[in-house]
């Protein structure tokens, strides 16, 4: 979901619908310092190897990637995420007795469940909405004049509404 969102934003930037962050974002600190502080808590984990700032910069530079490839890749990420969530809904928070082994099912009112049905459904809505907006971007990029970040489907993951 996050990978798809990052690629979606990169495609919107390439289309000229989103601008780069303002230079004032680094007025008091550098990108490297922000990176180091953000990922400092992972430095004590032996595996996987911590990401270096140089690798981060290389991995987040989409200038050499065509917009069509970014749109396709972001769409693949959202479809993959939706598939994982659908499987989660079948097994972990299933409403009905489908063809899933009963010993592997968890009920939505289980106190120890890692995700509630409502949360999984909200994440599905984010995946579907962003996939639709990507499709709109790929079909008629010239008809899109505005992008709005919305948090109506989920409070933490945005949909990038194209208007």
């Amino acid at each position: 979901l996050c990978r798809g969102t990052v690629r979606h934003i990169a495609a919107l930037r390439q289309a000229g619908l989103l601008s780069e962050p303002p230079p004032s974002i680094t007025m008091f600190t550098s990108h490297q310092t922000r990176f180091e502080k953000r990922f400092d808590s992972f430095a004590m984990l032996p595996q996987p190897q911590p990401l270096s700032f140089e690798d981060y910069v290389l991995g987040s530079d989409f200038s050499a990637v065509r917009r069509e490839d970014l749109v396709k890749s972001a769409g693949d990420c959202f479809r993959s995420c939706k598939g994982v969530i659908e499987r989660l809904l079948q097994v972990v928070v299933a409403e009905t007795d489908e063809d899933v082994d009963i010993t592997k099912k968890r009920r939505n009112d289980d106190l120890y469940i890692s995700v509630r049905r409502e949360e999984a459904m909200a994440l599905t809505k984010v995946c579907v909405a962003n996939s639709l907006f990507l499709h709109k971007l790929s079909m008629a990029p010239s008809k899109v004049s505005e992008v709005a970040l919305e948090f109506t489907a989920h409070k933490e993951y945005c949909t990038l509404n194209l208007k």
Side-chain angles (χ1 to χ4, degrees), residues 5 8-19 130 133-134 136-137 141 143-150 158-163:
T5 302
H8 192 174
I9 289 170
L12 291 169
R13 284 185 176 154
Q14 283 187 359
L17 297 169
L18 279 180
S19 61
N130 280 331
F133 294 135
L134 275 172
K136 184 177 180 179
L137 179 65
K143 292 186 178 181
V144 177
S145 61
E146 184 182 340
V147 178
L149 271 68
E150 296 181 353
C158 69
T159 55
L160 295 155
N161 189 351
L162 307 180
K163 299 175 183 179

Side-chain angles (χ1 to χ4, degrees), residues 43-109:
M44 66 181 124
L45 298 174
Q47 294 290 331
Q49 193 73 352
L51 183 67
S52 70
F53 179 70
E54 291 75 21
D55 290 339
Y56 168 76
V57 169
L58 285 173
S60 58
D61 179 17
F62 295 102
S63 60
V65 181
R66 294 179 332 141
R67 185 171 73 227
E68 296 80 18
D69 294 336
L70 279 172
V71 168
K72 182 185 177 317
S73 178
D76 291 345
C77 290
F78 291 131
R79 274 189 293 285
S80 174
C81 182
K82 185 176 178 286
V84 169
I85 294 169
E86 286 174 352
R87 180 67 181 148
L88 182 71
L89 286 169
Q90 287 176 351
V91 176
V92 179
V93 288
E95 281 186 330
T96 61
D97 291 331
E98 298 167 9
D99 296 330
V100 177
D101 183 3
I102 193 69
T103 61
K104 296 180 181 171
K105 279 190 176 183
R106 301 288 293 270
R107 292 183 30 181
N108 198 39
D109 61 353

Side-chain angles (χ1 to χ4, degrees), residues 85 88-89 93 115-125:
I85 294 169
L88 182 71
L89 286 169
V93 288
V115 64
R116 302 267 180 240
R117 183 171 190 79
E118 297 78 22
E119 173 80 6
M121 292 301 294
L123 291 170
T124 301
K125 289 178 186 177

